[in-house]
Each structure stands twice: as C-alpha cells, then as structure tokens.
Amino acid sequence: MVRQLPVECANLQRAPTDTMKRYEIFADQIAELIRSGMLAPGEKVPSVRHASRTYGVSPSTVFQAYYLLEDRGLIQARARSGYFVRELARHSLAEPETSQQPTQTTEVDVSELVFSVLASLKDPGTVPFGSAFPSPQLFPLPRLARSMAQSVRDMQAQAVIADMTEGNPSLRRQIALRYMVSGVMLPLEELVITSGAMEALNLCLQTVTQPGDLVAIEAPAFYATLQVLERLKLKAVEIPVNPREGIDLNVLSERLASLPIKACWFMSSLQNPLGASMSDDKKRALYEVLHRHQVPLIEDDVYAELYFGSQPPKPVKSFDRDGLVMHCGSFSKCLAPGYRVGWVAGGRYAEQISRLKLMTTISPSVPAQAALADYLQHGGYDRHLRKLRHALEAQQASMLASAARHFPATTKVSRPSGGYFLWFEFPEQVDALRLFQLALAQGISLAPGPIFSATRRFGNCARLNYGHPWDAQSEQAMAVLGRILASF
Amino acid sequence: MVRQLPVECANLQRAPTDTMKRYEIFADQIAELIRSGMLAPGEKVPSVRHASRTYGVSPSTVFQAYYLLEDRGLIQARARSGYFVRELARHSLAEPETSQQPTQTTEVDVSELVFSVLASLKDPGTVPFGSAFPSPQLFPLPRLARSMAQSVRDMQAQAVIADMTEGNPSLRRQIALRYMVSGVMLPLEELVITSGAMEALNLCLQTVTQPGDLVAIEAPAFYATLQVLERLKLKAVEIPVNPREGIDLNVLSERLASLPIKACWFMSSLQNPLGASMSDDKKRALYEVLHRHQVPLIEDDVYAELYFGSQPPKPVKSFDRDGLVMHCGSFSKCLAPGYRVGWVAGGRYAEQISRLKLMTTISPSVPAQAALADYLQHGGYDRHLRKLRHALEAQQASMLASAARHFPATTKVSRPSGGYFLWFEFPEQVDALRLFQLALAQGISLAPGPIFSATRRFGNCARLNYGHPWDAQSEQAMAVLGRILASF
C-alpha cells in the first residue's frame, strides 16, 4: 500500500546550508512523517521515482535520504519491494497518563536514596540503563582534544586570570550566536558562563529564593532538582506532568494564585525523566501566567539540542518580554561531558547571578571554555549534533522494540521526541526500588521512580537510558529485566 | 666587616635531591640568615674562600649560590670588595601591631564595596597593586599547555564521565603524595577535588553551619571570606591578628568558651592580607583548643607553596588527630590560575563535602584535572615553585624599598615570609577608600583596608600586590601613591 502524501507534508522550504545537505533535510522530513504516525510501521514509503517527482528533488537525493533513514533504523529495505517503515515489534506498549495531583507543598528529603542509586553506576561493568549521560563514544572527543591543544597553546597569559570574571569572550559570542540563530535575541550582558548547568541552576535558585520559600517543580522531576531544594531548605510545590505535553498549566495557575510561590523550575522541552515537550502555544501561555504573577522561571533546557524533529524546540525564554526567564544550558549532554561548561541567560537577574558565581566558584575552567569556543567556531558542531540525534533516535527505537518484546504487555512507556531517556510505568504490583536492587544484582542499573519525587511516588516506575549504542548485551539486559518484572 | 657565622647557622643537613641542587640549598640558608637579620643590610657576606672552608662546600658551589642570591635581589657585588647584603633603603618602615579587638559578633555586609573594588581591576592598563593574583608571566603556561594537549589526547572516553564523581585518580594520588612529603599522612578518601579552593571553602562552611550560626574569622580577613559569610547568612566573630604571629589565641579561647561558635575559618600560614604565619607550636595549640571545644577548623592554605624560607610551613592539619580540620588547597596561586582546580582534605566531613559538591557543580573540569596530574608527574613542579618563590621574594624587597623611599615615614608595613601581599598601615588621617579612588583615577589599583573587615575597620590601611615583575612603571606608581598619601 502506497499512500499519496500531500506535498506540504514534506516541503523543502528549508534550503540546504553549509553544514546540512539537501538529502539530510529530506530525510528529516520523512522521519517527521514516521514519528507523527502519518507513515505507520509496516507501511511502504514512497518509491524513489514517486518521491522525486512529488517533492521536486533528484532521484539521487531521495536515494541518499533513504540510505540515511535505513542507517537511523527508521526504515528497512525488503527484497524486490522497496522501503518500508520499520515494524518495531508485533505489539507496542501504551503511553503513560499525566501523573496524579500531589499534595500541595512538601519538605524534600530524597538525597540518601539518590546517592545510593548514583553509587550503583560506578562499576564500569554494569549495563548503564541508570546513567544520566549518553555514551561518551557518541561525542567527538578527539576533535575536542585538538581544539583544546590549539587553544591552550595560543592562550594569552593574561587570559588565564582575566577570563575568570567575564568568561571567555569568544565563547560568549558563540553561545549568543546560537541563541540568535534559534530566534532569541540575547544581549551579551545577560549571559553568565558557569561550571556546568548544575551550577547555573543552583545560582538562579539562590538568587530568587530564601530558605523556607516555595518553589514549583515538575512531578516527576529530575532528582538533582529535589536534592538542590533539600540542600537550600526550599519547599516543593509539585505540578503534574503529562508525558507528551508537559506540566498541567491549570494546576500551576491555581497554585500560583493560592500559594506564595517564589520561583518555578521547569524543563519545557524534553523533560527529564518523562521526555515531555510543551508546544509553542503552551510555552507562551506559561510565560503569560508567570508574567501575571511576576514569578520568575528557571528554565532548565539542557536537552535542547537533542530533538529528533526537523526544527529545534523554542524555549519559553523566546517569549520573555521582561527578563523574568533564566534560561540554563550546557554542553555536558550533547558535546563535552566533564568539561563542566554551562551557562545561564539570566534576564533581569544576570548581574546578581554573576556576583553569586564569583563568590562560590569564581569561574568555570578557562582552558575548557577556550576549547569549546574554538570547537564551536571550527569543529563542525552542527554536523556532530545531527549525527548524535540520529544515533539516539535509532537507539530509542531499539529500546522501545526490545521493551515490547520483553516487558509485561500492560507496561506503559513514554515516546519522547528527543533526548535519551524512556519512562516506564510498570504494572502496579512492581516495586521499582526492589526492581532496582534485583537488577543491580544481575549487573544492570536503572533509575527507580521514587528518586524523581519529593513524595516518593512513582513506586512502580523507572527511567531507562538508551544513550548507549544498542547491542546484544543491551538486548540481553532487557530480557533479564523482563524476567524480573514477571516475577512480581 | 665580616662576621664569623656559627657553622650550624648554615648547616647543610638537607641533602641535594633530584630537583634541588647543593648550591640552591646553600643559597636558601644564606637567604634565611638575611631574612632573620643575622646578616644585616649593608653587611658583607662571607668570602667565597671563607664560606667554602666553614661550610665544607666547594668554592664553585658558593659562587653559584651567590650568583643566585644576586639574581634574587638579596645581595649585590661591589667592585673589588665582594658581596654585600643589599641595602634596601636608607630607612625602612616599621611593622604594624596586632589589630584591635573588635565587637563580639557582626552581621556581614561588605559585598557591594568588594565588587566595586574588583571591577576596578578589569582594565588591563591599570597598575595591578589591587590584584588578587601574581602575574601570569610567573607561571609555566607553555609547559602546562603541553600537559593539557597530551592528557586530552590520551584520555579514555569513559573518563570524561567517570572522573566527575571521584576526581582524576592520578591527580588525587599526586596531591596525597605532596601531603605525605610534607609530613601529613592523608587517606585518599579524605580528599575531595573541587572547582578551586573557593568552592572547597564554600562547601566546608555549608557542611558544618546553618544560616544564623556564628563563625570565627580573622580581622583583617580575606574579603571573600566576608562575602561568603554574608551570602550564607552567617555571623562573624572577628579574632585579631598579629602581622607576624597570626590570630590571638587568648581571644579565640575566650570566644569559644562564651559563644556557640560553629566553625573557624583561618589561614594559618601567609594569611591574606597580613601575611602572618603561626609557629608550629601555636598551630598545635590552636588545634588543641579547637579539639577541646570540638569546633571544626576550615584551614584556608592556598598560599602554602609560596614560603620564602627553606622549609614549607606545617598546616594545622598535620596535628589533627580526629578529623576536625578541613584543609583547603589550590593550584590557582602557584601554578594554574583559571584552571579552577582545588581540593579539600576534609577529615571527618569528607563524605558530606563530596555529596554537597555533586549537588552544586558535580565536578571540576575533567581535562584541567588531567592536565595538572600530568604536570605534577612530569612537569617539574618543584623547580617551578623555587623559581616562583625567588621571584616573589625579590619583588617583595623591591616594593618594601620603594615604599620606604616614597611613603610617609610613619607608614607601617608587614614583613611576610612568603606570598605576594604587603599590608600597609598609613598615618591615621589617610582614608583608604579615598586613596583607592584617587589612585584609580591615576591608573593604579589597590585593595583598601575596609574590604577586609566585617565592621569596615582598617580605614587607614591597604593591601598591595607585589606579584608582578618590578619595573619602572611599578616604581613610578609607588611615587604617585606617595604623593597622594602626602596630600591627606
């Protein structure tokens, strides 16, 4: 069966660029059709001749695009029949619902649990489904090493002291440029370079809160969010999250109206752990609600570059008219883990954040900043990002298919449009902490649901990392997890 | 006049090592005699023949030592007469007294003032007497760049993630080894690698205090100490400091007995800004007092490597029997500013500190750690340190001499046995903040006394940095300062 697709579904409005070729753009359009369900698993993709005629591209462009999609694990060739959307499994698992509405405010006390989970990741022999990072094999480390060698060799002696206060000027320009390309005009003064996004988030929170204050966060939330709140003696107001659409704006509005919330800390795109991304309209609406109450948003956007679609998601920051949004980013998840360079576009709080930084760590490492500045300018960052996104997308498909093969049929799983985490909701009788221990005993790590909640909910959930190249060991580990799940 | 010196004054008990030659050891002994006043300015140093016979070293060793001392600015040759201790000035300035005893406890509010002083340092054309760092020209940056290039090229991919939790294993061993060589046996588990000493100090303080707690600090104190207390809403108990001998132990004992002090934050060697170093006996006594009260000590020892004597000062940590001392060090002042790598030997608090670090910045930059590990092993660190100490010692002599020439004769000045700061106490009518502004208008920075006190005392004092190679511009700047001082 070949479906006639409307031309506008795969229009080629985006022109080829220096770094992105025509066939890559075309492949992205087809991938989008597959993701959206317009092209279903098992369905035949348009023939080369048909696609070439319909979309006005050369047959060789179509061929190259299909080869790429085959590499990305999205389509497969069948002998003498052409290309088909890959059938991932006989059945696939359902998606989870929005998390239940939690109690109003909560003292946070989750660190001990988180540390015991993190400790489990130290053994390099463990299957790293519990890891917070993608495989370092996916990063261009040799190219980065060249940038590092080059930039420390060329560094002016004075820079090792001067660059501590303001940050590396070239890196600041490169980051501002990337904002500009994605449609956010950012005055350079707003930009504070930090020791990774974690420092940026800490500084933002300390800038706008005092111990005892209320902070709205997602439920489930990234566990470090909970640890930081605990450390700073802040109280959590948990806002439920839908696995596709993000936080429940109605609940947030109600909470803002009834409670003296001092700040919100949200991931508007590719939320950790659910993978939810708000639509542009919802992001705009979120900003308007916060603007009305004059409550600042700390926008944790560290997965921003790992989208699978053809366009980057817009940050809430792009709708910010009065500097209320502190937008935090990082290179740790998409380029250089361990370099510890992140930033915040701090809006009206930028100067306070910068001062606080001088009092706590003074500066991120100057050589690391210089190396990243050089790499961003000369290293082919956009090309690397495209490769990385394709690898992650293929690995997600592999883990979803494997889960459908091995996990109980009533398991629910998220379908994030980027990043490297899947969120599993297992049958009710599954105890995720027990699952964590049993899996660990078999050499498999995972992140159990309760570490993502101030109230220790999500007791039958877990986050699994698909950021590592999928191989026989991964498949084997999923089968083992399936057997443990069946034993509950 | 040639004085016969007792042999034991300059004994050569210390054997030459791989990195330190016999003539260097001999030169250090003579320098010690000069510093202690045993050899006074203008006095003739023993002739080569005499010294060779008395100390049992070869004439060529003596020659080389004297050339070195001439380079270091400590002695000078007079035609046909031999070598003489350099006469630094016709008169020299007196030393200041112990700071007066301040009020018991103080809310801290000094940040605004500090930031306006720091902002003045940004202009690279300014004479940097106000700087917190020595000249980067004194650091082996090209050699460090080689270590960096080498170590990022050889880095295992997994290390960029794994080294974030524990720190670079080789760097940890190298640091522990340096402790061992200086007589402190340190279990590796005590060592937490941090983003510079500033982060280490922040983490220590947060580990042992809550907002509102009392912390004993020095008066005058490093201004960042005051900023950190202010930020963490801690109250300062200021302990007076003698410019030679360090804090007043009697006052401290009395305060510990009468107030619920939760921690002490002291620099036991080369205190910033006074340059005071406690004797070993006093350090031991300090530990015993703290042990009796079970009050932890945060020992800020970032200038430890910059001593001018022949032996490194011992830290209070070396007397610690029960893990009460958190000893903080760094490479920023003696090797690699801007790399942002420091550490704390955290005693009984090490695990808590390490966890807090994971929640705030996760890790210092992994490449910077690897580069330092390589440099410490292969780069000739000890040789660099000796060169650096000699340069700083000569620059101190130049600034002291210049101050005696240009400043009012009733000015008092410290005589630190290391580091790169002099503390000036000007006549009472001098207003240091006004001096700061007038000097800045003439392109000269300095650190005015009030930024070193929670109670804005030291209004007629200033800290001047001699960490930059002394040249005509430095001399000229001192003359300008002298004229401004005379105008008060």
Side-chain angles (χ1 to χ4, degrees):
Chain A
M1 173 186 100
V2 179
R3 206 141 30 100
Q4 295 291 354
L5 296 168
V7 176
E8 59 269 31
C9 278
N11 71 71
L12 276 174
Q13 287 175 344
R14 288 168 62 209
T17 63
D18 283 355
T19 58
M20 193 157 187
K21 298 217 163 54
R22 190 173 293 273
Y23 76 91
E24 293 175 316
I25 297 172
F26 184 61
D28 275 356
Q29 311 282 356
I30 299 289
E32 190 66 39
L33 296 178
I34 295 172
R35 202 173 9 259
S36 68
M38 192 90 70
L39 279 168
E43 208 168 341
K44 190 171 190 308
V45 299
S47 71
V48 171
R49 179 199 298 212
H50 176 74
S52 161
R53 205 179 303 143
T54 310
Y55 303 119
V57 292
S58 74
S60 96
T61 297
V62 180
F63 262 123
Q64 283 181 290
Y66 285 4
Y67 286 146
L68 182 60
L69 289 168
E70 199 178 7
D71 262 6
R72 285 163 66 180
L74 295 180
I75 64 176
Q76 59 191 154
R78 290 192 198 147
R80 287 176 306 274
S81 315
Y83 280 101
F84 291 78
V85 177
R86 224 172 126 193
E87 193 133 26
L88 293 175
R90 289 207 187 281
H91 64 276
S92 65
L93 301 172
E95 281 185 80
E97 309 291 317
T98 302
S99 60
Q100 277 182 314
Q101 199 164 317
T103 51
Q104 287 220 329
T105 71
T106 324
E107 305 264 354
V108 189
D109 168 26
V110 72
S111 275
E112 281 302 321
L113 186 55
V114 172
F115 283 119
S116 76
V117 172
L118 293 181
S120 75
L121 297 172
K122 282 183 193 167
D123 180 354
T126 303
V127 179
F129 291 159
S131 171
F133 289 91
S135 164
Q137 309 288 354
L138 299 177
F139 298 123
L141 297 175
R143 181 63 190 79
L144 267 176
R146 287 221 308 281
S147 277
M148 177 63 98
Q150 179 80 31
S151 47
V152 287
R153 200 162 49 231
D154 297 348
M155 195 178 288
Q156 299 293 312
Q158 200 50 51
V160 296
I161 291 172
D163 285 359
M164 280 199 270
T165 317
E166 299 286 320
N168 180 295
S170 161
L171 179 64
R172 290 165 59 83
R173 277 194 303 273
Q174 295 289 330
I175 294 173
L177 198 63
R178 295 190 70 81
Y179 272 101
M180 212 174 71
V181 167
S182 73
V184 184
M185 290 305 300
L186 192 77
L188 267 181
E189 309 84 73
E190 264 201 47
L191 203 57
V192 183
I193 311 288
T194 58
S195 299
M198 184 62 85
E199 184 184 39
L201 294 160
N202 264 281
L203 297 176
C204 291
L205 205 55
Q206 288 172 75
T207 297
V208 295
T209 65
Q210 303 284 342
D213 282 351
L214 299 185
V215 177
I217 61 168
E218 292 142 342
F222 173 38
Y223 49 75
T225 307
L226 303 171
Q227 290 181 298
V228 170
L229 261 59
E230 183 178 337
R231 177 176 91 81
L232 298 175
K233 301 194 186 346
L234 297 165
K235 287 190 194 124
V237 178
E238 292 190 313
I239 309 296
V241 181
N242 175 283
R244 261 186 199 266
E245 292 156 21
I247 55 159
D248 187 323
L249 262 192
N250 292 330
V251 174
L252 177 66
S253 298
E254 189 278 311
R255 293 287 193 266
L256 285 169
S258 62
L259 293 170
I261 291 173
K262 288 289 160 47
C264 296
W265 175 345
F266 297 144
M267 307 186 79
S268 54
S269 303
L270 301 172
Q271 194 259 356
N272 178 5
L274 280 179
S277 292
M278 296 184 207
S279 67
D280 287 357
D281 285 348
K282 190 164 177 183
K283 283 170 178 163
R284 191 195 310 269
L286 167 61
Y287 170 72
E288 294 302 339
V289 171
L290 295 175
H291 177 73
R292 206 155 49 241
H293 292 277
Q294 282 296 299
V295 170
L297 172 64
I298 301 167
E299 187 175 21
D300 178 354
D301 207 10
V302 296
Y303 302 101
E305 296 284 11
L306 301 182
Y307 58 91
F308 297 161
S310 55
Q311 293 291 336
K314 275 187 168 182
V316 178
K317 180 78 186 167
S318 66
F319 303 105
D320 185 12
R321 293 187 306 273
D322 62 348
L324 202 58
V325 181
M326 292 163 268
H327 183 255
C328 301
S330 165
F331 296 106
S332 299
K333 308 295 202 287
C334 51
L335 176 63
Y339 275 58
R340 308 308 305 138
V341 177
W343 69 87
V344 49
R348 61 170 86 155
Y349 308 101
E351 196 187 345
Q352 281 169 274
I353 294 168
S354 173
R355 285 181 165 201
L356 205 52
K357 186 204 66 159
L358 285 175
M359 285 187 245
T360 46
T361 58
I362 303 180
S363 159
S365 182
V366 169
Q369 291 183 63
L372 288 173
D374 181 89
Y375 177 84
L376 290 185
Q377 215 169 350
H378 309 294
Y381 188 34
D382 285 303
R383 182 158 290 275
H384 153 66
L385 284 175
R386 271 201 306 285
K387 255 182 73 181
L388 176 62
R389 288 174 200 133
H390 293 167
L392 293 177
E393 192 180 15
Q395 288 162 205
Q396 185 193 84
S398 299
M399 184 179 262
L400 279 172
S402 184
R405 276 192 292 277
H406 299 296
F407 289 4
T410 52
T411 299
K412 293 176 178 172
V413 62
S414 60
R415 297 276 191 289
S417 59
Y420 47 89
F421 295 127
L422 289 179
W423 179 255
F424 289 89
E425 193 181 308
F426 301 115
E428 272 192 11
Q429 68 275 22
V430 172
D431 173 354
L433 291 173
R434 184 92 188 107
L435 170 68
F436 163 70
Q437 285 157 344
L438 292 170
L440 200 59
Q442 308 249 22
I444 304 163
S445 73
L446 54 82
I451 69 172
F452 298 95
S453 164
T455 41
R456 305 244 175 152
R457 295 181 307 132
F458 311 107
N460 61 329
C461 299
R463 186 194 73 182
L464 267 64
N465 177 318
Y466 59 77
H468 296 69
W470 199 260
D471 58 15
Q473 196 198 25
S474 325
E475 188 65 30
Q476 169 69 16
M478 292 293 281
V480 171
L481 289 181
R483 281 197 294 278
I484 301 175
L485 286 167
S487 76
F488 277 98
Chain B
M1 174 189 95
V2 178
R3 214 154 10 110
Q4 295 291 353
L5 295 169
V7 176
E8 59 270 30
C9 280
N11 71 71
L12 275 175
Q13 287 174 343
R14 287 167 62 209
T17 62
D18 282 355
T19 58
M20 194 156 187
K21 298 217 163 56
R22 190 172 294 273
Y23 76 90
E24 293 175 315
I25 298 172
F26 184 61
D28 274 356
Q29 311 283 355
I30 300 288
E32 190 65 40
L33 295 179
I34 295 172
R35 203 174 6 260
S36 68
M38 192 90 71
L39 279 168
E43 207 168 341
K44 190 173 190 307
V45 299
S47 70
V48 171
R49 179 199 300 215
H50 175 75
S52 161
R53 205 178 305 142
T54 310
Y55 304 117
V57 293
S58 75
S60 96
T61 296
V62 180
F63 261 124
Q64 283 181 289
Y66 285 5
Y67 285 146
L68 182 60
L69 289 167
E70 198 177 9
D71 262 5
R72 285 165 65 179
L74 295 179
I75 64 176
Q76 59 192 151
R78 292 192 196 146
R80 287 177 304 275
S81 314
Y83 281 100
F84 291 78
V85 177
R86 224 172 126 193
E87 193 133 26
L88 293 174
R90 284 202 191 287
H91 65 274
S92 64
L93 301 172
E95 280 185 82
E97 309 293 316
T98 302
S99 60
Q100 277 182 314
Q101 200 164 318
T103 51
Q104 286 220 330
T105 72
T106 324
E107 305 264 354
V108 189
D109 167 28
V110 73
S111 273
E112 280 302 321
L113 185 55
V114 172
F115 283 119
S116 77
V117 172
L118 292 181
S120 76
L121 296 172
K122 283 183 192 167
D123 180 354
T126 304
V127 178
F129 291 161
S131 171
F133 289 91
S135 165
Q137 310 287 354
L138 299 177
F139 298 122
L141 297 176
R143 180 62 190 78
L144 266 176
R146 286 220 310 280
S147 277
M148 177 63 97
Q150 179 80 32
S151 47
V152 287
R153 200 162 48 231
D154 297 346
M155 194 178 289
Q156 298 293 313
Q158 201 49 52
V160 295
I161 292 172
D163 285 0
M164 280 199 270
T165 318
E166 298 287 320
N168 180 295
S170 160
L171 179 64
R172 290 164 59 84
R173 278 194 302 274
Q174 294 290 329
I175 294 173
L177 198 64
R178 294 191 70 82
Y179 272 100
M180 212 175 72
V181 167
S182 73
V184 184
M185 289 306 298
L186 193 75
L188 267 181
E189 309 85 73
E190 263 201 48
L191 203 57
V192 183
I193 311 289
T194 58
S195 299
M198 184 62 84
E199 184 184 39
L201 294 161
N202 264 280
L203 296 176
C204 290
L205 205 54
Q206 288 173 74
T207 297
V208 294
T209 65
Q210 303 284 342
D213 282 351
L214 298 184
V215 178
I217 61 169
E218 292 143 340
F222 173 36
Y223 49 76
T225 306
L226 303 170
Q227 290 181 298
V228 170
L229 261 60
E230 183 178 336
R231 178 175 91 80
L232 298 175
K233 303 196 185 347
L234 298 164
K235 286 190 196 127
V237 177
E238 293 191 308
I239 309 295
V241 181
N242 175 283
R244 262 187 198 265
E245 292 156 18
I247 55 159
D248 187 323
L249 262 192
N250 292 329
V251 175
L252 176 66
S253 298
E254 188 278 312
R255 293 289 193 265
L256 285 170
S258 62
L259 293 169
I261 291 172
K262 287 289 159 47
C264 297
W265 174 346
F266 296 143
M267 306 186 80
S268 55
S269 301
L270 301 171
Q271 194 259 355
N272 178 6
L274 281 178
S277 293
M278 297 186 207
S279 66
D280 286 357
D281 285 348
K282 189 164 178 182
K283 284 172 177 162
R284 190 195 311 267
L286 168 60
Y287 171 73
E288 294 302 339
V289 170
L290 294 175
H291 177 73
R292 206 155 50 242
H293 292 275
Q294 282 296 299
V295 170
L297 171 64
I298 301 167
E299 187 174 22
D300 178 355
D301 208 8
V302 296
Y303 302 100
E305 296 284 12
L306 301 181
Y307 58 90
F308 298 160
S310 55
Q311 292 291 334
K314 274 187 168 182
V316 178
K317 180 79 186 167
S318 66
F319 302 107
D320 186 10
R321 294 187 306 272
D322 61 349
L324 202 58
V325 180
M326 292 163 268
H327 183 254
C328 301
S330 165
F331 296 107
S332 300
K333 308 295 203 284
C334 50
L335 176 63
Y339 276 55
R340 308 310 304 140
V341 177
W343 69 88
V344 48
R348 61 169 86 156
Y349 309 101
E351 195 188 344
Q352 281 169 272
I353 294 168
S354 174
R355 287 182 164 200
L356 205 52
K357 187 204 66 160
L358 285 175
M359 285 187 245
T360 47
T361 57
I362 302 180
S363 159
S365 183
V366 169
Q369 291 182 64
L372 288 174
D374 181 89
Y375 177 85
L376 291 185
Q377 215 169 350
H378 308 294
Y381 188 34
D382 285 304
R383 182 158 290 274
H384 152 67
L385 285 175
R386 272 200 306 284
K387 255 181 74 182
L388 175 62
R389 288 173 198 134
H390 294 166
L392 294 177
E393 191 180 18
Q395 289 161 204
Q396 184 193 85
S398 299
M399 185 178 263
L400 279 171
S402 184
R405 276 190 293 276
H406 299 296
F407 289 3
T410 53
T411 299
K412 293 175 178 172
V413 61
S414 59
R415 296 276 191 290
S417 59
Y420 48 89
F421 296 127
L422 288 179
W423 179 254
F424 289 89
E425 193 180 309
F426 300 116
E428 272 190 12
Q429 67 274 23
V430 172
D431 173 354
L433 291 174
R434 183 94 188 105
L435 170 67
F436 164 70
Q437 286 157 344
L438 292 170
L440 199 57
Q442 307 248 23
I444 304 162
S445 74
L446 54 81
I451 69 173
F452 299 95
S453 163
T455 41
R456 306 243 175 154
R457 296 180 308 131
F458 312 108
N460 61 329
C461 299
R463 186 194 74 182
L464 267 64
N465 176 318
Y466 58 78
H468 296 71
W470 199 261
D471 58 16
Q473 196 199 27
S474 326
E475 189 64 30
Q476 169 69 17
M478 292 294 279
V480 171
L481 288 181
R483 282 197 294 276
I484 301 175
L485 287 167
S487 75
F488 277 98

